[in-house]
Amino acid sequence: MKFADDFVFGTATASYQVEGAHDEGGRTPSIWDTQCRTPGKIKNGDTGDVACDQYHRWPEDLEIIKGLGLGAYRFSISWSRVLPQGLGEPNPEGIAYYRELCRSLKQAGISPVVTLYHWDLPQVLEDRGGWTVRETAYAFADYARLMARELGDLVDVWSTLNEPWCSSYLGYASGVHAPGRTEPLAALQAVHHLNLAHGLAARALREELGDEVPVCLTLNLHVTHPLTDSAEDIAAARKIDVVGNEAFLMPVMEGVLSPELVEITREVTDWGFVQEGDLELCHQVPDILGVNYYSTSTVKARQEGEASTSGGHGETGVSPWVACDDVVFLPPEGPLTAMGWNQEPDALRRLLVQVSRRYPGQELMVTENGAAFSDEVSSDGQVHDPDRVAYLRQHLTAVAQAVEEGAQVTGYFLWSLLDNFEWSWGYQKRFGMVRVDYETLERTPKDSAKWYADLARSRDLDTVGEDWVAGA
């Protein structure tokens, strides 16, 4: 259970969840600013207007990362902060902010790992059709090229997209995420145009920077179990696998559109928006495939008269799973996180091994893994979060086991550095290893941060003390 000396231990955030300064420095609204101002969309009417105020407090957060001994910080750029109109004239003040952040990280010995898109599309582009139109993919490629030119000397890894499943299905099918639309056809158009955006942006990055700087794509690959070994339940699980995973893996990694996906969605679309040559453009295999993992789902085939479910992510309302009305998601079992998600660390091991065997030689990184729990400040002024420590230990053990089985996993990024704006949940759910007091914005590293720092220094799970776990 020892990690190699060059294994990267990092942590991650996303721009809208932590930056704040929503109307400062030339930034224009994103679709999440709009979503937050739509009544009923966000718990308690919360917004990311201030969030963790990292825009102003990033030096303090950098010192925390440095003090924890972590090797990398994965963060995202606010597209509308650097390109207020989504394309065209760049904003020097926004670019200067990210240059200074990257420069300071490098000086501190921390690798900047930059995500270009973590869901906050400029509202001006959504007004023109958003991800349902191919022009947005080309605008994204222009944005990627600009960032390569402006920050290419400072960034160690470029990630094009974070979890395009969420952008397409949660944004355009269920409406739980911005832009809050509930249109199955729009969701599938978004799937394709996001794949196209990755391909075009990866090409732009490689043209500007050469092959020395790795390009990453981050997917939240779904692990779905059939309730029984019946043919019907196995087919139900496969349907979720196709819609959730193959919709992105096959165009990007293999340059083809899944025939199963076309068949499953035939009553929604004939995929006529996929133009000749598009799949060749999508087929930009990333140097690093980022894997985001939190939990698993169990499904069964829906019987006649049985109600369908919203889709296994704790959200209510319209299901994000386009053309999967005949699939029922079972309630999760076992100890649950504050999100209502199950905990199955061995599924992470299996997922990493399976992806590695499917794509031999493909470098993988766990770009997000973590858990929300309802931790509080204790009388001693500290935050004791033994449940999170146990979760991290178990999942990092799974990563180490996957490496032993041959998976080429080269890094792990704990989600998240800070408690932050958790999308439709507002500020109700705390994923951070550092607590944020939303009244004062004071940061308090939790026990999980100290445990993770110990692991980053020792690189040996066997030597990181059990005294952080189970309230000891």
Side-chain angles (χ1 to χ4, degrees):
M1 294 296 101
K2 188 171 177 63
F3 291 93
D5 291 342
D6 58 354
F7 187 91
V8 176
F9 288 101
T11 188
T13 61
S15 53
Y16 191 76
Q17 293 182 272
V18 298
E19 279 184 4
H22 72 109
D23 59 356
E24 294 183 44
R27 182 186 180 276
T28 57
S30 76
I31 56 176
W32 271 97
D33 294 278
T34 303
Q35 183 88 337
C36 288
R37 284 159 176 76
T38 304
K41 287 292 187 180
I42 312 297
K43 299 284 186 183
N44 300 322
D46 291 339
T47 76
D49 289 1
V50 176
C52 304
D53 197 30
Q54 190 174 82
Y55 184 79
H56 299 109
R57 303 174 70 111
W58 65 264
E60 179 181 355
D61 293 339
L62 187 154
E63 287 302 313
I64 292 173
I65 299 168
K66 182 180 178 181
L68 295 175
L70 303 182
Y73 179 41
R74 176 178 175 253
F75 63 94
S76 73
I77 291 173
S78 168
W79 187 344
S80 59
R81 194 180 293 285
V82 296
L83 280 168
Q85 299 307 311
L87 38 74
E89 193 67 27
N91 174 27
E93 190 170 349
I95 291 169
Y97 166 72
Y98 291 110
R99 276 202 66 84
E100 180 62 14
L101 174 59
C102 290
R103 185 189 62 79
S104 298
L105 286 166
K106 294 281 279 188
Q107 288 180 343
I110 302 164
S111 291
V113 176
V114 167
T115 301
L116 287 169
Y117 188 69
H118 200 127
W119 308 348
D120 47 351
L121 185 71
Q123 182 62 44
V124 291
L125 294 184
E126 176 59 29
D127 293 341
R128 298 172 191 165
W131 289 112
T132 70
V133 298
R134 62 190 297 111
E135 288 77 12
T136 302
Y138 284 91
F140 181 69
D142 291 343
Y143 157 53
R145 190 178 299 277
L146 172 68
M147 291 298 94
R149 291 174 177 173
E150 296 290 348
L151 304 177
D153 59 322
L154 295 172
V155 174
D156 289 335
V157 177
W158 291 93
S159 184
T160 53
L161 307 173
N162 179 79
E163 298 185 352
W165 182 91
C166 295
S167 299
S168 52
Y169 294 117
L170 295 183
Y172 291 90
S174 74
V176 171
H177 281 191
R181 293 165 63 174
T182 53
E183 306 161 38
L185 174 58
L188 297 177
Q189 291 170 326
V191 166
H192 175 60
H193 295 137
L194 284 156
N195 287 333
L196 185 62
H198 160 76
L200 293 168
R203 285 191 175 195
L205 291 167
R206 286 164 172 162
E207 287 169 3
E208 294 295 328
L209 303 171
D211 296 328
E212 287 72 32
V213 180
V215 173
C216 175
L217 171 65
T218 293
L219 301 178
N220 55 319
L221 295 175
H222 299 266
V223 179
T224 307
H225 305 305
L227 178 62
T228 72
D229 60 1
S230 72
E232 294 80 8
D233 287 354
I234 291 172
R238 177 59 184 169
K239 181 174 280 192
I240 296 302
D241 185 40
V242 170
V243 174
N245 297 338
E246 302 296 352
F248 304 100
L249 282 172
M250 290 185 69
V252 170
M253 303 297 291
E254 302 168 32
V256 297
L257 183 63
S258 165
E260 291 176 272
L261 180 65
V262 174
E263 174 63 21
I264 289 167
T265 60
R266 68 186 185 280
E267 294 185 5
V268 179
T269 181
D270 63 0
W271 292 84
F273 45 81
V274 179
Q275 297 185 11
E276 185 176 354
D278 277 6
L279 291 169
E280 181 182 353
L281 293 173
C282 295
H283 187 207
Q284 286 287 314
V285 177
D287 302 291
I288 300 168
L289 182 59
V291 176
N292 290 1
Y293 173 85
Y294 293 94
S295 62
T296 67
S297 297
T298 299
V299 301
K300 68 174 184 175
R302 183 164 65 91
Q303 304 301 312
E304 185 176 352
E306 187 175 15
S308 59
T309 57
S310 62
H313 276 260
E315 298 92 357
T316 58
V318 180
S319 172
W321 295 99
V322 173
C324 294
D325 292 343
D326 55 348
V327 177
V328 173
F329 284 79
L330 282 299
E333 296 181 351
L336 306 181
T337 70
M339 296 296 290
W341 298 346
N342 74 326
Q343 302 178 53
E344 191 177 343
D346 193 58
L348 175 57
R349 176 193 63 80
R350 297 194 306 271
L351 175 62
L352 294 170
V353 171
Q354 289 167 1
V355 173
S356 186
R357 289 174 180 170
R358 179 173 177 177
Y359 301 113
Q362 176 66 55
E363 182 178 350
L364 306 175
M365 280 190 172
V366 178
T367 35
E368 286 182 25
N369 177 242
F373 291 106
S374 300
D375 33 60
E376 300 289 346
V377 179
S378 298
S379 57
D380 60 3
Q382 301 300 305
V383 180
H384 305 297
D385 56 342
D387 289 337
R388 183 175 290 104
V389 173
Y391 180 100
L392 295 175
R393 175 188 284 278
Q394 292 162 7
H395 285 77
L396 277 154
T397 297
V399 174
Q401 290 170 340
V403 172
E404 288 183 347
E405 292 183 47
Q408 192 176 333
V409 186
T410 60
Y412 175 96
F413 290 77
L414 188 156
W415 186 271
S416 175
L417 172 64
L418 304 168
D419 291 338
N420 56 51
F421 176 83
E422 186 48 42
W423 308 113
S424 60
W425 290 97
Y427 294 97
Q428 286 193 351
K429 307 298 182 183
R430 293 180 177 269
F431 274 92
M433 62 173 166
V434 175
R435 182 181 176 85
V436 175
D437 182 321
Y438 294 122
E439 297 293 325
T440 66
L441 298 176
E442 180 182 2
R443 275 79 158 141
T444 303
K446 305 174 186 179
D447 282 356
S448 56
K450 301 165 189 175
W451 180 89
Y452 192 50
D454 283 352
L455 176 62
R457 293 186 180 100
S458 72
R459 302 186 166 269
D460 190 343
L461 280 162
D462 294 329
T463 66
V464 181
E466 291 283 352
D467 54 336
W468 299 109
V469 184

